[in-house]
Amino acid sequence: MPLCYPGEVKTGAFLLALLLALAAVPGASPDGFKAKDPEARRAAVEAVREWTDENALALASLVHSSEDPDVLVSVARVAGNHADLNPQATDLLRSMLELSGKGLWRARGEAAAALVRSGHAQLAEPAARDEDGRVPQRLCEALGAVKTKSEQDYQMLGSLSRHEDWRGRAAAIAALADSEGFHDAVPLLIDSLRSETGRLAGDAHTALRKLTGEDLPAAPEAWAAWLARKKGLE
């Protein structure tokens, strides 16, 4: 039974449609998901191993009603385990990027990371614009763990390296430092070295030295000239 499709997600509309679509499923709320104790609800979520209509309804219900960051982080992790093959799980994660409330930056960050881990990094783009720097920080950490990054991954890291919150920028620099895509990462790090000061400029310089094996000074013009020479030799 198709419940939703990529591109249709708006948090309230999606969750309402999902809940209504599954309302007729017999026994669509596992007892553990209704527990009053938050730890019991979290344990019930983390015990989910299969993506069934019953579990999808229960997880969507929690996203719609819960304000417990720990429970919602667990929902994101479970959905992320199935998002590579199940568009319902992917859309649930996308809806979680719009959660708001005290402490729910953790759920938004985990949903973004889960999208990256499941091969849907481009769908996590709203997290790159999140005003709470801890959300783009979590997104960058997930992107940094991707061994072979796509052109879109580098574009997102470039955007994150210009985030208003220093935590997002710092995490973007760290992710670029662990990259295998030399030609994609180095120009972005030179831009960071040019625009940053203090610790972050130092981080960008350290990342450039690590990626290139060169021991140039912390001067963006020197690195830009070096990169131009290297491209000319290739």
Side-chain angles (χ1 to χ4, degrees), residues 1 3 16-29 53-54 57 61:
M1 174 172 69
L3 303 175
L16 179 60
L18 180 58
L19 291 169
L20 291 176
L22 289 174
V25 177
S29 294
D53 284 349
E54 177 184 2
L57 172 60
S61 297

Side-chain angles (χ1 to χ4, degrees), residues 145-186:
V146 176
K147 187 171 183 181
T148 304
K149 297 177 180 57
S150 67
E151 181 180 352
Q152 290 74 24
D153 292 338
Y154 282 109
Q155 289 175 351
M156 187 175 292
L157 284 170
S159 175
L160 286 159
S161 70
R162 298 185 296 274
H163 196 275
E164 291 184 0
D165 192 297
W166 70 270
R167 289 169 293 192
R169 302 198 306 277
I173 292 171
L176 290 167
D178 291 331
S179 297
E180 293 185 351
F182 175 93
H183 291 291
D184 295 293
V186 168

Side-chain angles (χ1 to χ4, degrees), residues 12-91:
F14 161 67
L15 289 173
L16 179 60
L18 180 58
L19 291 169
L20 291 176
L22 289 174
V25 177
S29 294
D31 291 340
F33 283 57
K34 297 179 179 179
K36 292 183 178 180
D37 178 33
E39 284 299 312
R41 290 200 304 275
R42 184 177 60 79
V45 170
E46 294 183 352
V48 171
R49 294 292 181 268
E50 297 182 1
W51 191 267
T52 63
D53 284 349
E54 177 184 2
N55 289 333
L57 172 60
L59 293 171
S61 297
L62 282 174
V63 173
H64 185 64
S65 62
S66 179
E67 295 182 355
D68 187 315
D70 292 329
V71 170
L72 292 172
V73 165
S74 294
V75 170
R77 289 173 179 164
V78 168
N81 291 337
H82 301 276
D84 56 337
L85 298 175
N86 196 306
Q88 300 166 12
T90 302
D91 284 347

